[in-house]
Amino acid sequence: MTVDLQLSVNEQIYPLTVDTRETLLDTLRERLDLAGSKKGCDHGQCGSCTVLVDGRRVKSCLTLTVTVDDQPITTVEGLAGEDGLHPLQRAFIEHDAFQCGYCTPGQLCSAAGMLAEAARGWPSAVTPDVAADPVLGEEEIRERMSGNLCRCGAYPGIVAAIEEVAR
Amino acid sequence: MTTTEITYVGSPIDRVDGLEKVTGRARYASEHNPRDLTYAAPVQATIARGEVKGMDAGAALKVPGMIAVIWHGNAPRLAPSDAAELSVLQSPRVAYRGQYVAVAIAETLEAAREAAALLRVEYSEEAHDVELRADHPRLYRPDHVNPRLPADDVRGDPDAALASAPVVVDATYTTPAEHNNPMEPHATVAEWDGGGLTVHDSTQGPTALRGQLAPLFGMPPEQVRIISPHVGGGFGSKGLAHPHVVLAALAAKQVGRPVKLTVTRREMFAVTGYRTPTIQRVRLGAEEDGRLIAISHEACEQSSTIAEFAEQTTVATRMMYAAPHRRTTHRLVRLDVPTPSWMRAPGEAPGMFALESAMDELAVACGVDPVELRVRNEPATDPDTGLPFSSRNLVACLREGARRFGWDARDPRPGVRRRGGLLYGTGVASSTYPAYRSPSQASARAEPDGTFTVRIAAADLGTGARTVLTQIAADTLRAPAERVRVEIGDSALPQASIAGGSMGTASWGTAVVRACEALVRELERTGGVVPPGGAEASAATAEEVRGQEKYARHAFGAQFAEVAVDADTGETRVTRLLGVFAAGRIVNPKTARSQFVGGMTMGLSMALFEESVMDARFGDYLNNDLAQYHIAANADVRDIEAFWVEEDDPHLNPMGTKGIGEIGIVGTAAAVANAVHHATGIRVRDLPIRLDRLVR
Ligand code: FES
Ligand code: FES
């Protein structure tokens, strides 16, 4: 079964006919040529497909495209602004927060979503006082970023890069 | 020609492909969508041994958008090959559960998958045997272990020496099957045209893959082109061709259209290789002061029924420590299992877990400090070949690591450091990895506008190869790095050895240096003026590599771990991990640190989490996804640091480098297990260090 819809990705509108079984990740990668979002497992277990849906971090491999036609989507291709790279992108390069780069788009989108969560005061499992505003130190960042696996083991760089941007 | 005073080798420059990677512009294998693209969904065997008797494709072929079903009954014939894993769909035999037995090709991924699920395969099933045991009746001695080393090696009389040694450690260690699990699953886009076959693939060696693929289709290598600019990790699993590449090429040939085949994470557990499980008995005989008299290290490991993959598990033991009597052996059993393959530091990683755990047991038995014990057993020359070491700085790494880690204050008593509910302990282990080099070719080209292009069919799996080759080329050309472009990842470029065995930089770097030197000479002849059509030079290093001096070449390191073990639950956390390495000249401190830390992280993961569980009844690896096969996540890696000692070794290659991609994982698991013993008094000899192994 197919459905006609309009998808808003990185502030661009894409009119599409999609298979109702199609995941957002496959739509992005196979239909829209937005291959920045990566498929590491297709099962919601690695985080490499993380994108922002209405500003929240979402695993696009677990999201059916037909369910997000009414929400703005941001992928790694849309992180950079008019005035150049997103601060996270710059910090990732500077701290060598990746090796192969395959988990990187997911890490970046996840970090952007995570910073917004913390700014809204959302606690994590390691937040000492859940009523206070969380302070993004190393431990908080590691915990909040643990849904994004990196087999190259770039975690220390990822944490350092995010910590710098969070400051 | 522009000259510059800056030397790039040794500078922590940012990755030259960093911008592409953080913006999502870097294209990986499956991210190519040629016109008329079709999608393939493979079907895996659901028996571990037997034969495919028939295929009912009736329902599958009715799926809208369906194009074809290929199985052994209708597959195009491939040229006969020794590589049984690559003779895809050529025989009805099933050698392991999960082997590809068919493929569905459709207009969309969804349709291909639906069709694959609807295929009915009929089998005749035979009893299978998938369990590695030390008393397996079919264990045998392989002719060689990788890479063509003797399976057994005996010096002196180890049995007699062990019988009379004042102190003896005799213990059996096991390591489980482990899967590489690079973040990017293996993927192939295959396309045929008049000229032959073009393949976008995620590979560690475009030249090698071309060489494996072309003969299967009866073509000369020049008619196959492998394109692989970015590779999302490999760790050995993308070093040899796996069945999916052939399946994609075969499918594309059959349907006459390009085919994209992306291996799923679950399929990867059967068809893209893994680290063999091992059972290792280590016996050490020593004087009271810890000086070794005898070392015996015997390993049992597995391979499949269709290919002999003989991992070199005990080979590092041949050169680590001095001992007059030594035995190192390998026994293999061929089971109805997938074929094992390379996984980061094959041989060294599991082998050094056993040896370095045993050394810790010896230190405890002799009452000698574990750092001191290793220093006492330092050999003057290579115990295996008798050759001098080109450089050997294990002792410097141990001393420097001990200093940085604060080892000297260590109280050796186990099980006495309790803070809250946690037991703390520290452990040390040595690391090592050989410094190989393979022949490669490269070309270097100067343009009149002052830019340079260096070409070589190397691969960058995240190692930083593109970056360090740029540095090496810029220095040789005496040109600013911004003007030097390094093209890699394409078999149409000058042929190169694979990214494996930690020999990429040494092998490719030599070729790049020689090509750039030739270009410099060429430009000197023209008075530094680049002619309008550009100037070009090339080099091949086969002769240089063959003619190198006789030395034992190895990198060394020392790793120190601190763990906290929950006294009630047995949960183990690595609270600190510190490594010091001696690996020749470090070309780029920034990317090198990432390599060392990445290897150590995988070592931590090996110590605590990684285990592919064989289901004896059904004959496959049960925990075949990332929710069940655990790898270290961000919160598991707390305080991890890598350092290196300066090493000026003139006997290696023009850059003075040893490989750094694998040594980081060697010894880590032993350092962690030794720390767990120090924390709890419990010696865990079976990886991973699970809770149930610590709760008593
Ligand atoms: S691809 Fe979506 S979580 Fe792994
Ligand atoms: S950079 Fe390779 S998986 Fe994270």
Side-chain angles (χ1 to χ4, degrees), chain A residues 30 94 96 100 151 155, chain B residues 15 28 39 260 590 594:
Chain A
E30 305 300 330
E94 190 192 318
D96 209 33
C100 76
R151 188 55 158 163
Y155 299 130
Chain B
R15 273 168 210 274
Y28 298 78
Y39 291 84
K260 181 186 289 193
K590 190 176 230 175
S594 295

Side-chain angles (χ1 to χ4, degrees), chain B residues 460 466 473 590 599 616 645 660 662 666:
Chain B
D460 190 334
R466 198 179 260 111
K590 190 176 230 175
V645 297
I660 58 171
E662 288 162 277
V666 180

